[in-house]
Structure formats: C-alpha cells, structure tokens
C-alpha cells in the first residue's frame, strides 16, 4: 500500500499557464481557427482562470509581448485578480521583426541590438505595473551557414546585451534564460543548451536562472540529469513543460512520455524543488493546434499533478537503502512501483476534500463554458500564435 502522506505537499504546488495556449495555433502550414477562442488578453486570462477554478493548481498566467499588449496594464492586472489569478512571467519576443533576420541580442549591428534591449526595457516596465517578477527570455538567434558570422563574437555581443538587460531589473525581479538546440536557426543557435545558458547566468548574477523547455533538446537527452545539475547549482529558474515526439512539438505535457515527466519530477522532489521556496516556476509552454484549448490546458495541468503525486509516493527511505547496498533491481523496482501506482482515485478524493470537482475535465465538459464563450466571443479578431 502506497504511503499517501506526502500528497498534501501538492497544496503548495502551482503551475503557470501560457496565455498563448488559449489562442489559435498551428504549424507553418496552417493555423486553424476554432469557436470561442479569446480575442484579447482579458479573455485569455478568463480562460486560464477557468482552468484554475477547476483544478486549484494554476493561479498564474504568463504573457508574451507584444502578442498580449494592452493599453491599460493596471486594468489587466485587476481583471486577473478579479478572476482569482495573477500575471506571471513576461516573455519578450525577439523573432518577428524584419530587423531580426540576422539575430537580435547577437546581431552584428549595434542599432539592432539596442532595439532588442529596448524591447526588454518595455517588458520590465510592464512587469512593474503587472506585478510580475520573472522576465523570460528565449533567444531565437543563431546562424544557418558555417562562416555566416563569428560564433565567438556573437557570444561576446550576447554577454554584453544580457548584462545591459540585467542591469535594468529591480531587486525583486529575475531574468529567466531559456535555451533551445535548433530552430529557427539551423547551423548554430547562440543559446543551444543548458551549459551556455548557465554560463551566461553565472556571469550576470544570482537573479539570472535557466529555463528548461522539455522540447528543446536532442532526442534521447537525459533531461532529468540536467534538472538535477541545475538544481544542485541553484540555477533552475523555471520549466517550460510540453511533450514532443520529434522536435519542439509543444504537445500536451505528459502525453508523449509520461514516464519522462515522472523521472523529471522525481529529481524535483528529491531536492524539494516542488516547494515554492525553491524558486522553480513550473510553467507550461504548449500550443493546441487541433484540440480545444481550455480542455488541453486542463489535461496538461492534471498530467503534471499526477506525475508529481507519483513522485511524492516514492519510498525514499527504502530507495536510499537499496542504493546504499547496491541493490540495483530493488532500487529500480521501488521507483517503478511508484510510477505504476494509479494516483487518480487519491487525487479525485483530494480534490473533493478541497471543494474541487473530482473530475475537472468531465465537469468542464458539462459546464457549458465552451458553448457560452463560443456564443459570446463573436466579432473581433481571434488571438493567434504570432499575432
Ligand atoms: C519558443 C520558446 C519560448 C516561447 C515561444 C513562443 O520556442 O519555447 O519559450 O515563448 O516559443
Ligand atoms: Mn519555451
């Protein structure tokens, strides 16, 4: 019988939802429209709040600038509050301007680098009004052909640009630095891996931390090892959770490889990083191309909850004992026992005790929310990835 006593540690745990997951998304071939999709950041926040109401796990929403630009940031903050959520990380966008063809913070021309730095100054101003503490930076910079630019010079430009952005932050604000193996650049990315991100974070200062997007590695990479290393170094700032079969697929977290999600959360629990004091921000970064958005987010949040619950029931004492005595198969068996335990009944009971629906997806389906917003949200322009 599994020991469920640590499940109450879920009370402190929270997941941050990406505003862009509620808009239309697609591939480079087609963005599909669907009824009820938000037309502005206010409606995106309302959808995110619905996920939070049903799960009790998602009290923050990340925004992307300029996609989520509004005239009145205080009004957006107040709207979030009235919906029972708050605004989380502010993501800067460095990939959609013509000037950024050869890069942004690493661009050969100072004029373009200055523009990119200025964009972060604007994001930091937004953070001050919205009460956000995390500036999240994903750098799309890189080159497509050997010899196109100097890899070394680009690193020097990057270090300088990042230092200028870091200097603009307030004492209570952090810089989250994300890495990605390839795409949009194909020969080299300027921040391709956790090591590069880590090196820049260390050079910047304590409030610069690494973001691990689960879709941004080579196939077969042992992601939980990276998690353990970054936690050990005190530099794991956030996750961008999603699933992938091939590259940066941005599918629902826990759908392609629930065992990997469990292994990641096992490393998290071992270092007590599921607790808010760790400073790790558990964010989602997903796009729902063909499935309904709110329900896609609901499932994602529940997948993370389920994987964390499994990690919390690992018999750590027995595991340590098996590890110490070199009992390889017992150690592996202890971990597998936890992974194979069906946590859904215990989690449903837990939700009921907290006044939440036992089955949030079913309750959402029956609530009529989807039909209601589909009826209300007519006219205007639906939010869409990239706009
Ligand atoms: C990037 C990266 C960023 C996200 C954008 C939308 O691939 O993962 O985290 O903000 O996509
Ligand atoms: Mn990401």
């Amino acid at each position: 019988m599994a020991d469920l006593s640590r499940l109450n540690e879920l009370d402190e745990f929270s997941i941050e939802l990406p505003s862009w997951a509620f808009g239309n998304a697609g591939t480079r071939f087609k963005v599909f429209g669907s009824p009820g999709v938000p037309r502005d950041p206010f409606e995106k926040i309302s959808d995110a709040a619905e996920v939070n109401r049903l799960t009790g796990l998602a009290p923050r929403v990340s925004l992307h600038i300029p996609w989520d630009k509004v005239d009145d940031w205080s009004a957006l903050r107040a709207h979030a509050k009235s919906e029972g959520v708050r605004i989380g990380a502010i993501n800067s966008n460095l990939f959609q301007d013509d000037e950024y063809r050869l890069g942004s913070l690493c661009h050969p021309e100072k004029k373009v680098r200055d523009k990119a730095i200025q964009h972060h100054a604007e994001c930091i101003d937004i953070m001050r009004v919205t009460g956000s503490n995390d500036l999240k930076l994903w750098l799309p910079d890189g080159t497509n052909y050997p010899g196109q630019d100097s890899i070394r010079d680009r690193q020097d430009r990057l270090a300088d640009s990042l230092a200028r952005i870091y200097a603009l932050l307030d004492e209570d604000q952090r810089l989250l630095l994300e890495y990605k193996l390839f795409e949009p650049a194909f020969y080299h990315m300027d921040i391709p891996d956790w090591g590069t991100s880590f090196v820049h974070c260390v050079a910047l200062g304590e409030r610069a931390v690494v973001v691990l997007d689960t879709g941004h590695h080579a196939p077969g990479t042992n992601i939980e090892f990276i998690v353990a290393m970054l936690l050990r170094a005190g530099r794991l700032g956030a996750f961008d959770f999603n699933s992938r079969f091939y590259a940066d697929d941005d599918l629902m977290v826990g759908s392609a490889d629930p065992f990997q999600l469990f292994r990641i959360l096992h490393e998290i629990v071992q270092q007590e990083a599921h607790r808010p004091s760790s400073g790790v921000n558990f964010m989602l970064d997903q796009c729902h191309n063909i499935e309904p958005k709110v329900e896609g987010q609901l499932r994602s949040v529940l997948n993370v909850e389920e994987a964390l619950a499994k990690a919390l029931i690992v018999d750590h004492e027995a595991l340590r004992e098996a590890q110490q005595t070199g009992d390889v198969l017992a150690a592996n068996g202890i971990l597998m026992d936890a992974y194979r335990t069906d946590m859904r009944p215990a989690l449903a009971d837990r939700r009921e005790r907290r006044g939440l629906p036992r089955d949030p997806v079913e309750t959402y389906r029956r609530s009529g929310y989807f039909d209601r917003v589909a009826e209300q949200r007519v006219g205007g322009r639906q939010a869409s990835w990239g706009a």
Side-chain angles (χ1 to χ4, degrees):
M1 189 54 198
D3 176 9
L4 303 181
S5 60
R6 288 191 71 182
L7 283 193
N8 56 11
E9 290 173 31
L10 281 166
D11 293 359
E12 304 170 50
F13 182 74
S14 64
I15 299 166
E16 183 165 315
L17 307 186
S19 67
W20 53 100
F22 297 96
N24 287 322
T27 63
R28 67 175 84 180
F29 301 104
K30 169 76 180 156
V31 172
F32 296 105
S34 31
V37 160
R39 296 158 303 169
D40 58 38
F42 288 84
E43 292 179 349
K44 290 181 189 175
I45 287 179
S46 297
D47 283 0
E50 184 65 8
V51 175
N52 185 47
R53 269 190 286 273
L54 290 159
T55 61
L57 278 165
R60 295 181 309 283
V61 190
S62 322
L63 302 184
H64 222 296
I65 309 299
W67 298 343
D68 292 319
K69 250 186 170 173
V70 293
D71 294 332
D72 186 346
W73 290 106
S74 313
L76 192 67
R77 182 184 183 159
H79 172 68
K81 193 168 180 218
S82 75
E83 292 271 34
V85 295
R86 70 177 181 82
I87 293 169
I90 298 294
N91 290 252
S92 60
N93 187 324
L94 296 171
F95 47 89
Q96 280 180 316
D97 295 39
D98 282 335
E99 286 106 312
Y100 294 153
R101 194 166 57 93
L102 300 178
S104 58
L105 298 177
C106 302
H107 195 282
E109 277 180 63
K110 182 169 181 306
K111 185 175 87 215
V112 180
R113 297 199 297 276
D114 286 347
K115 174 187 153 109
I117 293 165
Q118 186 46 40
H119 175 55
H120 290 87
E122 187 191 346
C123 289
I124 294 167
D125 282 340
I126 293 169
M127 289 165 70
R128 292 188 181 119
V129 191
T130 52
S132 313
N133 300 109
D134 287 346
L135 174 68
K136 179 165 157 247
L137 214 150
W138 170 63
L139 191 76
D141 293 25
T143 62
N144 274 3
Y145 296 99
Q148 179 190 322
D149 195 2
S150 156
I151 290 175
R152 168 61 201 262
D153 286 357
R154 292 179 74 90
Q155 285 297 314
D156 292 343
R157 293 175 210 142
L158 175 59
D160 179 68
S161 298
L162 287 173
R164 288 170 61 194
I165 294 168
Y166 191 75
L168 298 172
L169 291 169
D170 297 336
E171 285 297 303
D172 60 347
Q173 295 175 335
R174 307 193 298 175
L175 189 152
L176 307 183
L177 193 58
E178 186 169 353
Y179 59 91
K180 183 174 177 181
L181 176 65
F182 81 98
E183 195 192 46
F186 295 119
Y187 168 56
H188 99 280
M189 291 288 279
D190 290 306
I191 310 184
D193 51 29
W194 72 273
T196 309
S197 177
F198 179 79
V199 163
H200 283 287
C201 287
V202 169
L204 288 171
E206 270 178 13
R207 285 177 292 109
V209 279
V210 178
V211 180
L212 188 160
D213 184 315
T214 43
H216 289 188
H217 307 85
T221 299
N222 183 333
I223 294 177
E224 58 270 28
F225 175 81
I226 300 172
V227 171
M229 288 297 287
L230 286 173
L231 283 176
R232 181 172 184 270
R235 295 283 176 163
L236 181 60
F239 281 99
D240 264 2
F241 276 136
N242 47 47
S243 285
R244 55 77 90 53
F245 287 100
Y246 299 101
D248 189 23
D249 303 352
D250 282 339
L251 298 171
M252 293 186 296
V253 57
S255 59
D257 190 349
F259 184 42
Q260 180 188 63
L261 181 61
F262 165 76
R263 298 193 311 263
I264 290 171
L265 288 164
H266 173 58
E267 292 305 321
I268 287 287
V269 168
Q270 283 193 103
Q271 300 197 42
E272 301 280 330
H274 55 300
R275 299 182 189 275
S277 56
S278 71
V280 179
N281 188 351
F282 295 86
M283 306 186 292
L284 305 183
D285 179 9
Q286 302 179 170
C287 289
H288 304 294
N289 296 356
I290 53 170
E291 68 273 28
K293 327 290 174 201
V294 174
E295 203 175 317
Q297 287 289 285
L298 271 175
R299 281 184 191 275
S300 308
V301 165
L302 298 174
N303 287 350
V304 176
E305 182 189 40
E306 194 179 333
L308 177 56
K310 289 178 188 221
L312 285 169
I313 63 157
V314 169
D315 186 342
H316 285 102
E317 224 173 282
L319 182 61
R320 188 154 296 270
E321 168 79 22
Q323 289 171 346
Q324 294 290 319
T325 54
D327 194 340
V328 177
L329 295 181
N332 177 244
I334 289 162
L335 212 59
M336 294 311 293
D337 274 348
Y339 177 64
R340 291 192 182 115
T341 306
D342 185 357
M343 297 307 294
R344 290 172 300 177
L347 290 173
D349 289 349
R350 187 177 169 275
R351 271 182 220 114
E352 193 170 351
R353 280 197 303 276
R354 303 177 75 221
L356 295 163
R358 286 185 69 82
D359 182 342
V361 173
E362 183 55 29
T363 303
Y364 171 75
R365 284 200 162 196
R366 275 192 284 103
S367 71
Y369 182 91
F370 183 84
D371 291 338
R372 209 158 48 243
V373 294
E375 207 171 287
Q376 281 164 4
R377 295 174 184 171
V378 285
R381 198 161 146 266
Q382 293 192 323
S384 163
W385 208 97

XYZ file of all heavy atoms in Angstrom, residues 71-122:
416
model
N -3.692 48.457 -23.665
C -3.492 49.886 -23.381
C -3.376 50.123 -21.883
O -2.669 51.021 -21.449
C -4.671 50.712 -23.926
C -4.711 50.648 -25.446
O -3.625 50.463 -26.042
O -5.819 50.755 -26.022
N -4.099 49.338 -21.110
C -4.163 49.605 -19.681
C -3.737 48.356 -18.890
O -4.536 47.447 -18.641
C -5.615 50.007 -19.329
C -5.747 50.454 -17.892
O -4.806 50.214 -17.094
O -6.803 51.040 -17.558
N -2.483 48.350 -18.486
C -1.935 47.179 -17.786
C -2.533 47.017 -16.398
O -2.696 45.896 -15.913
C -0.405 47.265 -17.696
C 0.226 47.072 -19.036
C 0.807 48.023 -19.827
C 0.322 45.839 -19.781
N 1.253 47.469 -21.007
C 0.973 46.135 -20.998
C -0.085 44.526 -19.535
C 1.231 45.165 -21.970
C 0.179 43.549 -20.494
C 0.827 43.878 -21.688
N -2.856 48.146 -15.750
C -3.470 48.038 -14.415
C -4.827 47.370 -14.523
O -5.224 46.578 -13.656
C -3.671 49.413 -13.777
O -2.514 50.160 -13.920
N -5.533 47.679 -15.608
C -6.850 47.053 -15.806
C -6.693 45.546 -16.011
O -7.493 44.754 -15.503
C -7.558 47.682 -17.006
N -5.643 45.144 -16.739
C -5.431 43.702 -16.960
C -5.076 43.018 -15.641
O -5.554 41.921 -15.346
C -4.315 43.476 -17.992
C -4.217 42.040 -18.515
C -5.443 41.677 -19.358
C -2.939 41.824 -19.333
N -4.240 43.703 -14.857
C -3.869 43.148 -13.545
C -5.122 42.978 -12.666
O -5.313 41.946 -12.021
C -2.861 44.096 -12.872
C -2.377 43.586 -11.550
C -1.459 44.573 -10.857
N -0.958 43.996 -9.616
C 0.120 44.394 -8.989
N 0.836 45.396 -9.456
N 0.493 43.812 -7.888
N -5.975 44.020 -12.687
C -7.196 43.979 -11.867
C -8.137 42.886 -12.367
O -8.773 42.176 -11.577
C -7.893 45.339 -11.904
N -8.195 42.729 -13.686
C -9.044 41.678 -14.267
C -8.568 40.307 -13.786
O -9.379 39.459 -13.388
C -9.006 41.769 -15.789
C -9.688 40.632 -16.486
N -11.048 40.439 -16.445
C -9.188 39.600 -17.221
C -11.356 39.347 -17.132
N -10.242 38.818 -17.605
N -7.251 40.090 -13.826
C -6.698 38.807 -13.370
C -7.089 38.582 -11.913
O -7.552 37.498 -11.536
C -5.177 38.797 -13.535
N -6.931 39.627 -11.120
C -7.245 39.500 -9.689
C -8.716 39.140 -9.490
O -9.048 38.255 -8.679
C -6.905 40.823 -8.983
C -6.903 40.684 -7.494
C -6.292 41.868 -6.779
C -6.365 41.583 -5.286
N -6.683 42.776 -4.512
N -9.559 39.805 -10.252
C -10.998 39.543 -10.083
C -11.347 38.112 -10.507
O -12.355 37.553 -10.082
C -11.830 40.551 -10.883
O -11.760 40.225 -12.258
N -10.521 37.522 -11.345
C -10.740 36.133 -11.788
C -10.007 35.135 -10.896
O -10.006 33.930 -11.159
C -10.255 35.966 -13.234
C -11.090 36.717 -14.262
C -12.254 35.879 -14.775
O -12.812 35.089 -13.990
O -12.593 36.019 -15.959
N -9.315 35.642 -9.878
C -8.641 34.745 -8.931
C -7.274 34.253 -9.378
O -6.760 33.262 -8.849
N -6.676 34.934 -10.371
C -5.322 34.550 -10.804
C -4.440 35.802 -10.831
O -4.910 36.909 -10.557
C -5.330 33.896 -12.210
C -6.094 32.582 -12.193
C -5.916 34.825 -13.268
N -3.152 35.627 -11.125
C -2.325 36.816 -11.309
C -1.388 36.634 -12.502
O -1.217 35.518 -13.011
C -1.571 37.165 -10.033
C -0.490 36.234 -9.631
C 0.196 36.783 -8.360
N 1.278 35.927 -7.932
C 2.491 35.940 -8.438
N 2.797 36.788 -9.407
N 3.428 35.110 -8.000
N -0.797 37.721 -12.911
C 0.072 37.678 -14.083
C 1.453 37.192 -13.670
O 2.009 37.654 -12.668
C 0.090 39.060 -14.771
C -1.311 39.313 -15.356
C 1.160 39.123 -15.854
C -1.560 40.700 -15.836
N 1.968 36.218 -14.408
C 3.262 35.616 -14.076
C 4.373 36.174 -14.937
O 4.518 37.389 -15.065
N 5.132 35.288 -15.559
C 6.310 35.713 -16.317
C 5.923 36.542 -17.542
O 4.899 36.301 -18.175
C 7.101 34.490 -16.759
N 6.777 37.505 -17.832
C 6.617 38.281 -19.060
C 7.671 37.775 -20.053
O 8.871 37.815 -19.785
C 6.816 39.791 -18.785
C 5.746 40.306 -17.799
C 6.805 40.590 -20.085
C 4.313 40.305 -18.298
N 7.185 37.272 -21.187
C 8.068 36.748 -22.236
C 8.326 37.821 -23.279
O 7.379 38.397 -23.825
C 7.392 35.568 -22.950
C 7.281 34.337 -22.084
O 7.983 33.357 -22.304
N 6.412 34.389 -21.083
N 9.591 38.057 -23.568
C 9.913 39.018 -24.623
C 9.898 38.289 -25.960
O 10.097 37.083 -26.018
C 11.294 39.616 -24.383
O 12.263 38.591 -24.376
N 9.643 39.033 -27.005
C 9.547 38.426 -28.329
C 10.638 39.017 -29.226
O 10.641 40.199 -29.514
C 8.146 38.749 -28.862
C 7.858 38.051 -30.150
O 8.752 37.893 -30.967
N 6.623 37.644 -30.349
N 11.571 38.168 -29.653
C 12.719 38.650 -30.429
C 12.775 38.009 -31.814
O 13.835 37.920 -32.407
C 14.016 38.329 -29.668
C 14.183 39.022 -28.314
C 15.379 38.455 -27.558
C 14.350 40.527 -28.497
N 11.624 37.526 -32.282
C 11.695 36.741 -33.518
C 10.764 37.176 -34.636
O 10.651 36.498 -35.639
C 11.479 35.252 -33.217
C 10.303 34.937 -32.309
C 9.048 34.718 -32.838
C 10.470 34.872 -30.933
C 7.976 34.414 -32.010
C 9.403 34.567 -30.102
C 8.147 34.338 -30.634
N 10.081 38.306 -34.479
C 9.091 38.615 -35.510
C 9.306 39.928 -36.247
O 8.461 40.310 -37.040
C 7.696 38.596 -34.893
C 7.181 37.169 -34.758
C 5.812 37.112 -34.162
O 5.534 37.808 -33.196
N 4.947 36.289 -34.715
N 10.436 40.597 -35.981
C 10.667 41.863 -36.666
C 11.636 41.642 -37.822
O 12.582 40.862 -37.701
C 11.279 42.888 -35.697
C 10.314 43.254 -34.582
O 9.617 42.341 -34.103
O 10.258 44.429 -34.195
N 11.429 42.348 -38.909
C 12.321 42.203 -40.065
C 13.777 42.466 -39.698
O 14.686 41.804 -40.199
C 11.894 43.164 -41.184
C 10.680 42.609 -41.940
O 10.514 41.364 -41.933
O 9.915 43.400 -42.515
N 13.992 43.427 -38.793
C 15.375 43.760 -38.394
C 16.089 42.569 -37.767
O 17.301 42.540 -37.704
C 15.395 44.890 -37.355
C 15.092 46.251 -37.899
C 13.698 46.682 -37.478
O 12.752 45.862 -37.640
O 13.561 47.816 -37.006
N 15.322 41.597 -37.243
C 15.947 40.473 -36.518
C 16.337 39.305 -37.438
O 16.600 38.209 -36.963
C 14.992 39.961 -35.426
C 14.717 40.954 -34.299
C 13.520 40.900 -33.584
C 15.651 41.929 -33.940
C 13.255 41.791 -32.539
C 15.390 42.830 -32.915
C 14.189 42.752 -32.220
O 13.937 43.627 -31.194
N 16.385 39.557 -38.736
C 16.720 38.476 -39.685
C 18.048 37.811 -39.318
O 18.207 36.599 -39.430
C 16.784 39.052 -41.101
C 16.778 38.010 -42.189
C 16.486 38.655 -43.542
N 17.462 39.699 -43.847
C 18.580 39.509 -44.537
N 18.860 38.313 -45.009
N 19.406 40.518 -44.770
N 19.024 38.619 -38.892
C 20.343 38.059 -38.540
C 20.541 37.952 -37.028
O 21.658 37.766 -36.546
C 21.463 38.916 -39.157
C 21.443 39.030 -40.689
C 22.583 39.941 -41.167
C 21.564 37.654 -41.355
N 19.456 38.091 -36.302
C 19.550 37.979 -34.852
C 19.055 39.214 -34.150
O 18.662 40.203 -34.790
N 19.024 39.165 -32.830
C 18.541 40.299 -32.028
C 19.642 40.740 -31.067
O 20.426 41.631 -31.381
C 17.259 39.902 -31.307
O 17.459 38.757 -30.475
N 19.756 40.067 -29.931
C 20.781 40.456 -28.943
C 22.197 40.142 -29.442
O 23.178 40.649 -28.896
C 20.537 39.733 -27.614
C 19.209 40.046 -26.910
C 19.059 39.217 -25.651
C 19.099 41.538 -26.582
N 22.321 39.300 -30.459
C 23.642 38.923 -31.009
C 23.875 39.541 -32.383
O 24.867 39.233 -33.043
C 23.747 37.412 -31.164
S 23.496 36.499 -29.647
N 22.945 40.359 -32.843
C 23.029 40.895 -34.202
C 24.349 41.645 -34.412
O 24.831 42.321 -33.502
C 21.842 41.851 -34.418
C 21.602 42.179 -35.859
N 22.368 43.087 -36.545
C 20.688 41.699 -36.746
C 21.932 43.166 -37.793
N 20.915 42.326 -37.937
N 24.921 41.537 -35.616
C 26.183 42.254 -35.864
C 26.074 43.774 -35.672
O 27.049 44.426 -35.280
C 26.528 41.922 -37.319
C 25.634 40.800 -37.724
C 24.510 40.696 -36.739
N 24.904 44.335 -35.942
C 24.763 45.809 -35.834
C 24.261 46.226 -34.460
O 23.249 45.727 -33.973
C 23.739 46.305 -36.863
C 24.281 46.506 -38.243
C 23.174 46.990 -39.167
O 22.638 48.098 -38.924
O 22.828 46.236 -40.096
N 24.969 47.216 -33.916
C 24.608 47.702 -32.577
C 23.174 48.258 -32.547
O 22.449 48.080 -31.557
C 25.608 48.787 -32.135
C 25.351 49.307 -30.741
C 26.489 50.170 -30.249
C 26.242 50.682 -28.829
N 24.987 51.389 -28.632
N 22.794 48.902 -33.633
C 21.464 49.512 -33.723
C 20.359 48.468 -33.462
O 19.385 48.732 -32.762
C 21.329 50.101 -35.139
C 20.102 50.870 -35.426
C 20.167 51.496 -36.813
C 19.643 50.491 -37.818
N 20.164 50.382 -39.103
N 20.529 47.291 -34.012
C 19.515 46.237 -33.840
C 19.572 45.683 -32.418
O 18.538 45.431 -31.783
C 19.700 45.112 -34.886
C 18.648 44.022 -34.691
C 19.632 45.681 -36.300
N 20.798 45.525 -31.898
C 20.920 45.028 -30.512
C 20.257 46.019 -29.548
O 19.553 45.632 -28.621
C 22.397 44.830 -30.132
C 23.107 43.780 -30.979
C 24.383 43.275 -30.310
N 25.417 44.276 -30.102
C 26.316 44.656 -31.008
N 26.306 44.124 -32.219
N 27.241 45.566 -30.717
N 20.463 47.292 -29.802
C 19.850 48.323 -28.945
C 18.327 48.228 -28.973
O 17.664 48.367 -27.949
C 20.274 49.729 -29.399
C 21.720 50.029 -29.018
O 22.297 49.272 -28.213
O 22.280 51.022 -29.540
N 17.804 47.987 -30.150
C 16.338 47.849 -30.272
C 15.843 46.660 -29.433
O 14.836 46.757 -28.728
C 15.968 47.644 -31.756
C 14.492 47.335 -32.003
C 14.257 46.989 -33.470
C 13.035 46.079 -33.604
N 11.884 46.679 -34.187
N 16.580 45.555 -29.512
C 16.176 44.353 -28.761
C 16.276 44.597 -27.253
O 15.433 44.132 -26.482
C 17.041 43.160 -29.168
N 17.294 45.334 -26.843
C 17.444 45.641 -25.404
C 16.304 46.564 -24.964
O 15.711 46.394 -23.899
C 18.827 46.259 -25.130
C 19.913 45.194 -25.373
C 18.926 46.821 -23.710
C 21.317 45.722 -25.492
N 15.983 47.513 -25.824
C 14.886 48.438 -25.537
C 13.558 47.686 -25.357
O 12.743 48.045 -24.503
C 14.802 49.482 -26.673
C 13.802 50.607 -26.443
C 13.877 51.224 -25.046
O 14.980 51.428 -24.498
N 12.714 51.496 -24.445
N 13.377 46.636 -26.136
C 12.152 45.827 -26.001
C 12.068 45.237 -24.583
O 10.991 45.165 -23.984
C 12.126 44.717 -27.050
C 10.960 43.775 -26.909
N 9.646 44.202 -26.891
C 10.907 42.425 -26.754
C 8.847 43.164 -26.731
N 9.584 42.074 -26.639
N 13.221 44.843 -24.035
C 13.210 44.300 -22.673
C 12.941 45.393 -21.638
O 12.300 45.130 -20.618
C 14.515 43.559 -22.380
C 14.619 42.292 -23.163
N 15.140 42.252 -24.432
C 14.182 41.041 -22.888
C 15.045 41.020 -24.892
N 14.471 40.255 -23.986
N 13.419 46.610 -21.920
C 13.114 47.725 -21.007
C 11.594 47.906 -20.941
O 11.016 48.113 -19.869
C 13.796 49.002 -21.489
N 10.962 47.781 -22.092
C 9.497 47.905 -22.142
C 8.837 46.754 -21.350
O 7.884 46.977 -20.587
C 9.057 47.865 -23.611
C 7.590 48.154 -23.812
C 7.121 47.835 -25.234
O 7.967 47.643 -26.133
O 5.893 47.766 -25.420
